[in-house]
């Protein structure tokens, strides 16, 4: 496969990464830079580790609620339900603690919180035209790179398939750029 000589593109993916021992202490400052009411998204397995309690304590009064029902290979119904809970809590920033499924679920929630409707309404590319709900990521695994990517893989059980990744290739669309943060303690 060859490319024409006139192939041109620009890729802009600003992601702020904060790394180092004790960096979790910066989480409240990062959340305050984006909003004032954080909603935590995680999975049942992490609820048992003590990490969720640590993040809750670190967020303190900034935390308005949490959603811990994210399964592996999360689906659109999970995203819609999580967004509904975050909106009911009055959240204006999401904080995801987990691996790729949790992070991708939170990305989908960001869309539904800003745009309304269901994530089903936004399958495809370049469908978003304004900044989305800010999202801070606390990754607990190394693998998918979801914490620095713009795509989200969400299953659609109604179709019994995993659709192509929901991708947004331009900063003018899904803004998880400057708003998409990575903050993590050494042991995460």
């Amino acid at each position: 496969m060859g490319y024409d000589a006139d192939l041109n593109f620009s890729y802009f993916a600003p992601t702020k990464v904060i790394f180092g021992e004790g960096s979790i202490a910066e989480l409240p400052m990062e959340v305050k830079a984006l909003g004032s009411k954080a909603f935590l998204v995680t999975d049942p397995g992490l609820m048992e580790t003590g990490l969720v309690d640590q993040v809750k304590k670190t967020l303190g009064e900034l935390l308005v609620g949490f959603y811990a029902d994210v399964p592996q290979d999360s689906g659109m119904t999970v995203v819609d339900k999580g967004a509904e809970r975050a909106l009911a809590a009055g959240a204006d920033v999401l904080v995801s603690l987990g691996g790729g499924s949790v992070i991708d679920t939170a990305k989908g929630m960001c869309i539904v919180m800003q745009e309304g409707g269901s994530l089903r309404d936004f399958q495809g590319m370049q469908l978003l035209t304004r900044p989305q709900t800010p999202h801070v990521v606390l990754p607990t695994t190394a693998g998918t790179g979801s914490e620095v990517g713009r795509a989200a893989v969400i299953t659609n059980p109604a179709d019994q398939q995993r659709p192509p990744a929901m991708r947004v290739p331009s900063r003018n669309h899904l803004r998880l750029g400057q708003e998409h943060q990575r903050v993590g303690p050494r042991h995460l």
Side-chain angles (χ1 to χ4, degrees):
M1 179 166 123
Y3 294 101
D4 294 357
D6 63 348
L7 175 67
N8 293 309
F9 67 89
S10 177
Y11 182 76
F12 181 70
T15 300
K16 181 177 182 181
V17 176
I18 300 172
F19 178 83
E21 187 172 353
S23 61
I24 192 73
E26 296 184 43
L27 180 59
M29 179 182 69
E30 296 298 327
V31 167
K32 287 177 186 175
L34 302 169
S36 60
K37 298 174 185 167
F39 190 86
L40 179 62
V41 181
T42 192
D43 63 51
L46 285 173
M47 291 294 293
E48 300 171 13
T49 67
L51 291 175
V52 174
D53 291 334
Q54 181 183 358
V55 171
K56 286 177 166 182
K57 183 178 177 183
T58 301
L59 286 169
E61 292 182 12
L62 292 170
L63 184 67
V64 295
F66 71 98
Y67 182 57
D69 297 330
V70 179
Q72 283 187 318
D73 299 324
S74 184
M76 291 190 185
T77 303
V78 174
V79 169
D80 291 345
K81 186 176 178 183
E84 181 180 311
R85 288 188 183 176
L87 287 168
D92 59 6
V93 178
L94 289 185
V95 175
S96 59
L97 173 68
S101 291
V102 169
I103 297 166
D104 287 356
T105 296
K107 288 179 183 180
M109 289 171 60
C110 288
I111 294 169
V112 176
M113 289 172 67
Q114 180 65 34
E115 303 293 337
S118 168
L119 189 61
R120 287 174 183 81
D121 303 330
F122 301 97
Q123 292 184 76
M125 294 177 59
Q126 299 187 358
L127 300 173
L128 306 172
T129 59
R130 59 185 174 163
Q132 299 301 303
T133 306
H135 180 200
V136 178
V137 178
L138 301 166
T140 59
T141 61
T144 65
S146 187
E147 68 274 12
V148 294
R150 293 175 180 233
V153 178
I154 305 292
T155 61
N156 186 351
D159 293 341
Q160 304 227 336
Q161 67 180 0
R162 180 185 289 201
M166 294 182 174
R167 294 190 54 215
V168 185
S170 167
R171 181 179 179 202
N172 293 327
H173 298 280
L174 176 58
R175 277 202 186 171
L176 294 176
Q178 293 176 349
E179 295 90 355
H180 184 180
Q181 312 286 320
R182 178 178 176 177
V183 181
R186 184 177 188 201
H187 61 277
L188 285 181

